[in-house]
Amino acid sequence: MKLQVSKSLTDNPSGPGIFISRLMQILSIKYGVKIVERKADVYLTGMTFEKPAPCSRVVYRVDGCYYDKSVHMYHHRNKAIKKGIKSHQGVIYQSLFSQQLTKAILGVFNSNSTIINNGFDQSVIERVQPIGKNCKWLFVSSAKWRVTKRPQSIINGFLEANIPDSKLVLLGEGESLHPRITYTGFQPQSEVFKYYKAADAMIHMCFLDSCSNSVVEGLSFGMPVICNNTGGTPELVGKDGIIIKCDSYDFGMVNKVEDNIPPNLIAEALHKFVQNPFRVSRPDLDINVIADKYYKFLTDIANDKRVN
């Protein structure tokens, strides 16, 4: 099979781009898929405006849609997503939540679709050398920090918990204002993985992530994830973490996302974890398992086979 991947996916330097680069490599090595720039059997694209696809069989990879009215030109952007879901030959939703979100807000659903989570190459984990902890309890949180990721809520909850001999590392840009809290600044993946290997648990409080690559990586490294109860994160975490009932969402538009989770709720979850710590195993998130699902779906589309 010849596969062309849109630049909206391959040129993305954040989570989606990282995942797609992993996926393309496995599809090529394991299944002999040829990654081409023209004359493809299937064209895999992301949720952005693009020129007419250079292929008759297009698979649209859907993260979600815009639900925050404060986002510039959200109407315009959602219109493009709606068109992609409605018009393309196949759709891959990253989570059940992303399917439900787009159906509720955009009023559209592609029946020739599937749900496939993001994945991680778990073979690299054994080669990662952890950083020195210098504390009993190390919590990490990783994101491109903005209000929807709610970093201040994470910080406030950690400080409220006041767990002896504990530290919080926020992987990303920010200013560290407490001796037990560290912002690392930008770190290459190889360094991020060292923190994941050493940490006891991950804290992830994004309001409505569809399928966070950071959470996929954290779970893959064996960390339980302490998270909020909306978006695709609780669906991804399941029993492998502590889900805090701190949010509500009715699949409608919101005026503005606030970074104001009550700190006692996060603190209670942190105390619950340290009283009964555990590790997790998630082979279902290995990139090889995810690549198998992608290959089957893309092959069905290439052969003009209806998935449902």
Side-chain angles (χ1 to χ4, degrees):
M1 180 175 62
K2 295 178 181 178
L3 174 67
Q4 182 175 352
V5 183
S6 73
K7 291 188 178 297
S8 67
L9 293 176
T10 59
D11 293 351
N12 191 326
S14 59
I18 293 170
F19 167 72
I20 287 297
S21 66
R22 295 171 184 159
L23 177 68
M24 291 167 61
Q25 183 179 26
I26 298 298
L27 289 176
S28 177
I29 294 172
K30 188 172 183 178
Y31 290 107
V33 172
K34 294 181 179 179
I35 308 301
V36 299
E37 295 186 3
R38 60 190 181 92
K39 296 183 179 180
D41 298 311
V42 179
Y43 182 68
L44 179 63
T45 184
M47 56 179 206
T48 58
F49 273 122
E50 299 188 51
K51 296 178 181 178
C55 176
S56 61
R57 301 178 185 89
V58 179
V59 172
Y60 199 46
R61 181 174 177 269
V62 177
D63 179 11
C65 64
Y66 293 88
Y67 59 85
D68 186 348
K69 292 181 180 179
S70 67
V71 174
H72 180 61
M73 295 179 67
Y74 75 88
H75 278 302
H76 185 67
R77 299 179 182 191
N78 276 346
K79 184 177 180 181
I81 299 168
K82 181 176 181 178
K83 179 180 178 181
I85 294 173
K86 187 176 181 180
S87 62
H88 292 319
Q89 286 68 47
V91 169
I92 296 175
Y93 296 99
Q94 292 182 37
S95 61
L96 176 61
F97 170 77
S98 65
Q99 181 191 93
Q100 293 171 333
L101 180 70
T102 52
K103 188 175 182 179
I105 289 182
L106 306 180
V108 64
F109 169 72
N110 190 319
S111 62
N112 204 38
S113 62
T114 189
I115 297 171
I116 308 177
N117 296 139
N118 296 339
F120 177 71
D121 183 3
Q122 297 181 1
S123 68
V124 308
I125 296 174
E126 64 181 25
R127 300 193 297 271
V128 175
Q129 294 298 316
I131 62 160
K133 282 177 63 174
N134 299 320
C135 62
K136 183 175 182 180
W137 301 106
L138 178 61
F139 300 98
V140 298
S141 192
S142 178
K144 192 173 182 179
W145 295 112
R146 50 187 182 271
V147 67
T148 58
K149 303 295 183 179
R150 303 193 287 194
Q152 195 59 52
S153 292
I154 294 171
I155 291 170
N156 293 344
F158 172 77
L159 293 176
E160 175 85 5
N162 197 27
I163 296 169
D165 200 16
S166 65
K167 291 184 179 180
L168 170 65
V169 172
L170 295 115
L171 296 160
E173 302 291 339
E175 184 179 1
S176 300
L177 299 174
H178 192 279
R180 292 195 293 121
I181 299 174
T182 301
Y183 275 100
T184 63
F186 171 79
Q187 297 288 322
Q189 273 195 309
S190 58
E191 293 300 309
V192 169
F193 294 164
K194 293 178 182 179
Y195 286 95
Y196 287 168
K197 191 70 173 283
D200 296 287
M202 171 177 279
I203 308 173
H204 190 82
M205 294 292 154
C206 181
F207 181 55
L208 293 181
D209 260 345
S210 287
C211 185
S212 166
N213 280 285
S214 295
V215 172
V216 168
E217 292 167 355
L219 292 168
S220 294
F221 270 86
M223 283 188 288
V225 176
I226 298 167
C227 66
N228 60 309
N229 61 322
T230 53
T233 304
E235 171 189 338
L236 183 62
V237 172
K239 62 180 178 58
D240 295 321
I242 299 173
I243 300 171
I244 304 171
K245 295 180 179 180
C246 57
D247 291 311
S248 61
Y249 181 63
D250 62 359
F251 289 93
M253 297 298 296
V254 300
N255 291 320
K256 186 179 180 181
V257 176
E258 301 286 352
D259 185 1
N260 60 357
I261 298 173
N264 65 294
L265 297 181
I266 296 176
E268 289 169 6
L270 293 175
H271 278 287
K272 181 178 180 180
F273 171 74
V274 300
Q275 289 166 9
N276 186 27
F278 60 98
R279 302 294 286 176
V280 305
S281 177
R282 292 296 298 270
D284 60 304
L285 297 177
D286 184 75
I287 189 65
N288 287 281
V289 175
I290 303 304
D292 290 346
K293 296 178 181 180
Y294 263 83
Y295 181 73
K296 182 180 185 307
F297 186 77
L298 294 173
T299 301
D300 285 345
I301 296 298
N303 294 330
D304 291 321
K305 181 180 178 181
R306 295 291 297 181
V307 178
N308 293 315

